[in-house]
Amino acid sequence: MDFFFCQHKTSYYNDGGKEHAEKGGNHMKQMTLGGTWTLEIPEREITVPMTVPGDDHTALLQAGVIADPYQGKNELDLQWIGSSQARLSKIFHCTEEIASLEMISLDLKSIDTVAEVFLNGISIGLCDNMFRSYRFDIRGILSAGENRIEFAFTSAGRTAAFLNTTLPYPIPAMTYPIHSPHRNLVRKAQCHSGWDWGPCLMVKGIYEEPVISASPLERIEYVHTNLTETEGIWNLEVITEITSSDAGETTLTISCAGETLKETVSLRKGTQELRRSLRITDIDLWWPSGYGRQPLYTLSVTLDHDGREKRIGFRTIEVDTSSDESGSAMTFIVNGKAIFCKGANWIPSDALPSRSTKEREKFLLSSAVEANMNMIRVWGGGRYEQESFYETCDEYGLLIWHDFMFSCSLYPSEPWFTENVKEEVIHQVKRLKDHPCIALWCGNNEDVGALTWFEDSRKDRDRYLIDYDRLNEGVIGTQVRKIDPKRTWWPSSPSAGIDDYSDNWHDDSKGDMHYWSVWHEGKPFEAYREVTPRFCSEFGFQSFPSIPLIRSFCPPQEMNISSPVMEHHQRNDRGNTIITSTFSRYFRFPSSFADQVYLSQVQQAMAITTAVEYWRSRRPVCMGALYWQLNDLWPVASWSSIEYGGRWKALHWAAKRFFSPVLLTLQEKQNGRWELFGVNDTERSISGTIILERISFDGNSDLLSQEKAELQPETSTQLLVFDTDSFNTSSSFLRATFVDCGSQDIWETISFLSEPKNCSLEEGTVTIGHSMENGTHLLTLECELPLFYVMLTYPDENLHFSDNGFHLIPGRKKVITCTTGSVDIPFDIEQVKVRHLRDTY
Ligand code: BMA
């Protein structure tokens, strides 16, 4: 239940069994059952308090029963928690008034995962899908006075193992070094069972407060809408699903954007659906970030005894997949405008759900916007996020490519599984479809590719393809098309399109592509320029997290990339080999552990910069680039641009530059033949001057060209073509600058002429001056020789620099601000560590 009678949901606080929302008269009454519960693990004779919402591992950690699963290799010793049964219970008090109402239910939104629910010793229902919402009738069982609620949790891992024994033939799933088998048989976040960036922590828990609701007659199950626009007139169809305990009457009132509809409706016993429409003319459009504002309008629906509020946005969105000379397009069109989608893939924000706070979510999403992203992909191995996540994306203008939660696996298509999935899809689509941020529904992550990953499915692709299709099109696609007909249904990621069952890993002519040839197949960074995906929804390169974060899980004697602890925090079996072989492919081998950590981030930034700059310069053939991955859920070597704890890696700083609305990019087309492109995603044409220089590593600059140029709106323009055949590629680099002749804004880019290992970089130092301005710490950086990938780190991750990972050119001061957000930490300039490329050898 999203809201109670026009009360904003923030009125639900964690108070352990409080009654809320008394609005006079005999309205719906609700009480929430958050707060302190008791967790028991009988096989280990453990009894500890547990905070709900929350998970069992966090409760055991807080009670001092277990060590921190993220430290060292502790995860290995904690696998028993996931395979244990557990009981979670609470005694609470209920008023006479609630207990006496007609229709009383226990509403559960996020139960992880397999649990029988008891109220006062009576079994009231069974939960077996973390992504469904359950509503159990408790009339006659709930009593006035003291009550006891209990969740008897079965281990999801054990349940999966049992289900596996019932299968007529094997249904394999991709597994990682530490994993819980048969994860694909249980509807639980797939990455809980371990991933190539994640621990195996098979948490149990309750992630939203259970709610008891009681109504004298009727209640709302869902409110959801369909929005259509014709020449500026919006038809807002509002669908209200009502359950009533008896026949009767109620007053339905719907209002939005200044329009109101009010009528008396008859109720019949059971569930019914009311469809009413509002005609709305005077609204401001909702736009993705970078294209305009994000106005949101309150939609309110009330009955006599229940009500809902939602915030909606007015925009049209479609995906153009029409044929063209390069194959077929994959272009998101919002309010008639083609958008180049820039962003990254989102995974759950913590392996321990208790720690997935709204503050963290907001920080990560605002970091995405700060890096000029306008889309994120909620990836299918994680979870459907909570309301606040989507509200924040609505407010920030972050479009969402939304997968359903299936990933890297084959799945059953028998009724016990598909019926469960059907309920999940119906619930999630009705819950989420009114968010303007959601751009597309996608069936799964890489499940078409997975058909070729296992011996069983290779031998009998027909059988597994039929299973795939029954679930994906037969259940998920069918429900999406029915409930949310206005939104694009995309079968899988990657996918060549509807009714195409090729895996689309290597075809850049249509659909969305996952381009992993550089990381997983060992091709050089330059290979990113061998393809022009129509939309690249995954491509990535790993790096290590920062030294301060490594210190949080790794003892000093293990600070070596192939130590047992560091290898434990690397889940891609070839990960460290790829990172180190890339060092020697492009760089002089870094001397110390700290240099290796730093350089891993530099090369990650270089890899993804190469890809994005090239693909952006190919617009409109390519119209989207979402790199793998935005965030981490524990401290680990991974493809993320923001490490666990929130510190930005060099990649995130690079993303802010390579996703900038206006971009200059230097690209070597063939040996010694270069092109300079100006990419302009904005709606205005920009006139200015291009300056191309060759700068030697000892700091002397040569002007190669200076000329006027124009960047046309929403276009990529080839600005210069030139040769560097006669240049000494080891003693200098290129720098291009574009100065807007109106605003005087400057965009710049630099490029080495050869691999950095062949360049004679000079040993320079960074001088840092520290001052204060209006309570903000300012750092002024200067150098006497050009310095590359200058990276500042500070021990406290809450200290945020305004820029990082940049290049310093002699004679140009760089001023950086240091902020700490809402956290009050002392700033000590001595603690700022600076490293640049020449420092690594
Ligand atoms: C992609 C993702 C993830 C994985 C990543 C890195 O294919 O969908 O499953 O973590 O690659 O290997």
Side-chain angles (χ1 to χ4, degrees):
M1 185 163 285
D2 304 325
F3 279 86
F4 174 69
F5 206 78
C6 304
Q7 289 239 336
H8 195 269
K9 69 188 69 170
T10 49
S11 66
Y12 293 156
Y13 39 91
N14 193 355
D15 58 358
K18 280 242 176 92
E19 211 176 316
H20 292 298
E22 304 260 11
K23 280 215 112 190
N26 55 351
H27 294 305
M28 167 96 71
K29 302 277 182 263
Q30 290 192 323
M31 57 184 295
T32 55
L33 298 179
T36 306
W37 289 50
T38 303
L39 174 71
E40 290 165 87
I41 305 179
E43 9 186 319
R44 297 251 168 173
E45 295 181 355
I46 292 171
T47 303
V48 295
M50 172 165 155
T51 302
V52 168
D55 67 82
D56 59 345
H57 286 56
T58 302
L60 294 168
L61 178 64
Q62 281 169 352
V65 175
I66 60 165
D68 186 338
Y70 296 174
Q71 295 232 341
K73 297 168 68 174
N74 290 348
E75 172 202 0
L76 297 177
D77 300 329
L78 301 176
Q79 294 304 308
W80 61 267
I81 310 171
S83 44
S84 305
Q85 322 284 68
R87 281 201 298 261
L88 187 55
S89 61
K90 183 180 177 73
I91 309 275
F92 65 94
H93 190 270
C94 176
T95 60
E96 179 70 52
E97 194 185 11
I98 288 187
S100 65
L101 283 174
E102 261 316 295
M103 193 162 42
I104 314 176
S105 61
L106 174 69
D107 303 336
L108 303 171
K109 272 203 216 154
S110 189
I111 306 300
D112 183 11
T113 291
V114 189
E116 186 167 3
V117 191
F118 295 88
L119 183 61
N120 299 327
I122 297 167
S123 171
I124 54 170
L126 196 68
C127 305
D128 62 357
N129 184 334
M130 174 183 169
F131 309 125
R132 274 174 68 179
S133 97
Y134 294 91
R135 171 164 269 172
F136 299 133
D137 186 1
I138 52 173
R139 185 154 195 265
I141 304 173
L142 181 74
S143 46
E146 201 168 86
N147 292 269
R148 182 172 187 278
I149 181 166
E150 177 181 309
F151 286 72
F153 281 97
T154 306
S155 148
R158 284 200 215 171
T159 304
F162 166 74
L163 288 168
N164 181 55
T165 65
T166 69
L167 297 177
Y169 50 87
I171 306 204
M174 180 61 133
T175 56
Y176 300 98
I178 300 153
H179 70 273
S180 176
H182 312 298
R183 55 150 170 109
N184 51 338
L185 306 183
V186 177
R187 295 307 297 141
K188 171 175 177 61
Q190 298 285 277
C191 66
H192 287 176
S193 67
W195 216 260
D196 60 1
W197 35 257
C200 173
L201 294 172
M202 292 287 279
V203 283
K204 301 180 189 74
I206 299 179
Y207 306 143
E208 293 197 41
E209 288 181 326
V211 177
I212 290 177
S213 30
S215 168
L217 179 65
E218 82 285 26
R219 69 174 177 223
I220 296 177
E221 303 289 350
Y222 291 96
V223 168
H224 57 107
T225 69
N226 290 322
L227 197 54
T228 38
E229 186 254 5
T230 330
E231 290 170 8
I233 299 171
W234 296 82
N235 186 62
L236 178 68
E237 185 190 32
V238 181
I239 303 155
T240 311
E241 279 183 34
I242 306 171
T243 300
S244 181
S245 59
D246 212 339
E249 270 189 356
T250 191
T251 318
L252 170 71
T253 311
I254 302 176
S255 61
C256 186
E259 300 295 328
T260 301
L261 172 158
K262 187 169 184 169
E263 65 179 77
T264 304
V265 293
S266 355
L267 296 169
R268 55 169 189 269
K269 189 173 174 175
T271 299
Q272 70 197 87
E273 188 182 90
L274 300 177
R275 287 177 182 254
R276 299 290 183 273
S277 291
L278 292 182
R279 191 170 171 275
I280 297 172
T281 47
D282 190 18
I283 52 93
D284 290 325
L285 290 173
W286 182 96
W287 287 97
S289 177
Y291 288 85
R293 294 190 317 111
Q294 292 77 40
L296 296 167
Y297 293 81
T298 301
L299 164 69
S300 142
V301 178
T302 62
L303 304 178
D304 288 348
H305 303 107
D306 201 359
R308 289 287 187 286
E309 268 184 12
K310 284 186 160 185
R311 292 213 295 163
I312 64 167
F314 291 82
R315 53 106 189 93
T316 59
I317 188 159
E318 63 223 343
V319 184
D320 173 16
T321 53
S322 59
S323 303
D324 57 23
E325 57 283 7
S326 311
S328 39
M330 182 79 198
T331 304
F332 285 80
I333 300 185
V334 182
N335 301 326
K337 181 172 285 298
I339 305 285
F340 192 105
C341 297
K342 300 182 277 199
N345 283 265
W346 170 274
I347 63 167
S349 68
D350 210 295
L352 300 180
S354 294
R355 296 185 186 172
S356 284
T357 60
K358 287 188 181 134
E359 293 69 37
R360 181 178 304 179
E361 184 180 277
K362 212 156 188 150
F363 170 79
L364 290 168
L365 295 171
S366 65
S367 296
V369 174
E370 220 185 302
N372 290 309
M373 297 185 188
N374 55 27
M375 179 182 267
I376 52 164
R377 170 169 173 243
V378 176
W379 165 79
R383 62 179 202 176
Y384 310 89
E385 294 291 339
Q386 295 186 351
E387 250 340 275
S388 55
F389 177 90
Y390 302 93
E391 286 170 359
T392 305
C393 290
D394 287 344
E395 285 164 18
Y396 289 173
L398 266 179
L399 295 168
I400 298 180
W401 171 302
H402 210 305
D403 287 1
F404 285 91
M405 295 301 132
F406 303 85
S407 181
C408 300
S409 184
L410 309 179
Y411 289 92
S413 72
E414 290 177 69
W416 62 268
F417 191 80
T418 53
E419 287 302 318
N420 199 355
V421 170
K422 183 176 165 189
E423 294 305 319
E424 165 189 331
V425 173
I426 292 173
H427 168 61
Q428 294 295 347
V429 176
K430 287 180 180 172
R431 174 173 87 96
L432 298 174
K433 67 183 273 216
D434 295 321
H435 288 284
C437 61
I438 296 181
L440 160 150
W441 293 116
C442 167
N444 59 71
N445 174 69
E446 297 182 349
D447 286 355
V448 181
L451 289 163
T452 60
W453 295 350
F454 313 100
E455 205 191 329
D456 288 308
S457 53
R458 274 194 300 270
K459 279 198 308 219
D460 194 349
R461 190 177 195 258
D462 290 359
R463 165 192 269 173
Y464 291 93
L465 182 60
I466 289 168
D467 277 350
Y468 169 84
D469 201 47
R470 276 189 186 140
L471 179 71
N472 204 58
E473 290 295 336
V475 177
I476 309 171
T478 301
Q479 291 308 321
V480 169
R481 287 181 163 116
K482 191 165 137 195
I483 304 165
D484 197 6
K486 292 279 149 215
R487 211 175 247 105
T488 297
W489 157 251
W490 192 248
S492 180
S493 181
S495 168
I498 303 287
D499 295 335
D500 189 327
Y501 295 86
S502 51
D503 72 17
N504 227 41
W505 284 71
H506 295 100
D507 182 353
D508 64 353
S509 69
K510 51 189 182 305
D512 71 315
M513 188 176 197
H514 288 189
Y515 186 71
W516 281 103
S517 301
V518 172
W519 177 265
H520 285 300
E521 294 164 25
K523 288 196 175 181
F525 295 170
E526 295 70 35
Y528 286 121
R529 300 201 193 111
E530 290 169 6
V531 289
T532 303
R534 310 311 305 263
F535 190 107
C536 202
S537 41
E538 273 191 25
F539 55 105
F541 204 89
Q542 272 203 356
S543 68
F544 295 112
S546 67
I547 291 286
L549 185 66
I550 292 174
R551 280 204 191 100
S552 76
F553 67 82
C554 182
Q557 67 278 17
E558 298 273 315
M559 294 265 197
N560 180 301
I561 61 171
S562 46
S563 72
V565 168
M566 286 301 291
E567 285 196 347
H568 185 78
H569 289 252
Q570 164 61 277
R571 291 305 163 86
N572 183 209
D573 49 4
R574 291 181 52 250
N576 287 352
T577 310
I578 300 173
I579 291 175
T580 50
S581 68
T582 309
F583 289 160
S584 46
R585 186 180 236 160
Y586 294 106
F587 301 97
R588 300 187 192 190
F589 209 84
S591 321
S592 67
F593 177 66
D595 293 328
Q596 290 158 13
V597 164
Y598 157 83
L599 194 61
S600 75
Q601 294 201 7
V602 168
Q603 65 187 15
Q604 179 191 32
M606 271 178 61
I608 305 306
T609 301
T610 307
V612 174
E613 289 196 355
Y614 180 71
W615 295 337
R616 283 191 65 191
S617 75
R618 263 46 194 171
R619 73 169 288 170
V621 177
C622 178
M623 284 302 279
L626 312 179
Y627 65 77
W628 183 266
Q629 72 209 66
L630 181 72
N631 54 320
D632 273 331
L633 47 56
W634 77 314
V636 67
S638 85
W639 299 265
S640 74
S641 63
I642 303 178
E643 66 184 31
Y644 184 71
R647 191 182 277 107
W648 290 16
K649 290 177 169 178
L651 172 58
H652 207 78
W653 295 103
K656 188 172 175 176
R657 287 184 272 273
F658 62 61
F659 282 146
S660 152
V662 178
L663 171 79
L664 272 195
T665 166
L666 278 163
Q667 294 164 10
E668 188 171 15
K669 204 172 154 61
Q670 289 142 10
N671 282 349
R673 182 122 187 110
W674 288 75
E675 292 174 306
L676 174 69
F677 285 91
V679 185
N680 180 8
D681 287 346
T682 75
E683 288 173 306
R684 65 182 184 103
S685 124
I686 308 172
S687 311
T689 308
I690 320 166
I691 299 161
L692 180 69
E693 295 163 276
R694 175 177 54 179
I695 305 178
S696 63
F697 292 118
D698 59 13
N700 292 313
S701 157
D702 247 348
L703 181 66
L704 299 178
S705 123
Q706 173 157 359
E707 51 194 81
K708 296 258 172 269
E710 177 126 352
L711 305 183
Q712 297 297 333
E714 298 168 282
T715 307
S716 164
T717 312
Q718 190 193 61
L719 298 172
L720 290 177
V721 181
F722 58 98
D723 289 309
T724 58
D725 286 343
S726 59
F727 294 6
N728 179 341
T729 55
S730 64
S731 62
S732 55
F733 63 98
L734 295 171
R735 174 161 174 251
T737 319
F738 184 86
V739 187
D740 181 332
C741 60
S743 66
Q744 296 299 307
D745 285 344
I746 299 176
W747 293 274
E748 66 172 351
T749 184
I750 70 131
S751 185
F752 292 126
L753 288 154
S754 173
E755 282 92 5
K757 67 182 177 185
N758 297 324
C759 296
S760 337
L761 304 184
E762 301 272 349
E763 284 181 61
T765 47
V766 182
T767 321
I768 308 185
H770 174 217
S771 58
M772 292 288 291
E773 204 176 282
N774 303 327
T776 306
H777 295 276
L778 296 184
L779 302 183
T780 306
L781 282 71
E782 288 178 85
C783 64
E784 286 178 352
L785 291 163
L787 302 175
F788 303 93
Y789 297 101
V790 178
M791 194 75 191
L792 310 174
T793 38
Y794 195 75
D796 192 315
E797 72 270 12
N798 292 304
L799 186 101
H800 194 62
F801 298 110
S802 58
D803 199 359
N804 216 340
F806 42 77
H807 312 303
L808 281 181
I809 307 285
R812 290 189 52 198
K813 288 184 183 169
K814 176 95 186 170
V815 181
I816 306 282
T817 58
C818 312
T819 44
T820 60
S822 55
V823 193
D824 194 17
I825 55 163
F827 176 67
D828 175 7
I829 178 78
E830 297 300 318
Q831 304 263 20
V832 177
K833 294 268 174 293
V834 189
R835 201 178 291 268
H836 58 82
L837 191 53
R838 183 60 188 86
D839 285 341
T840 58
Y841 56 92

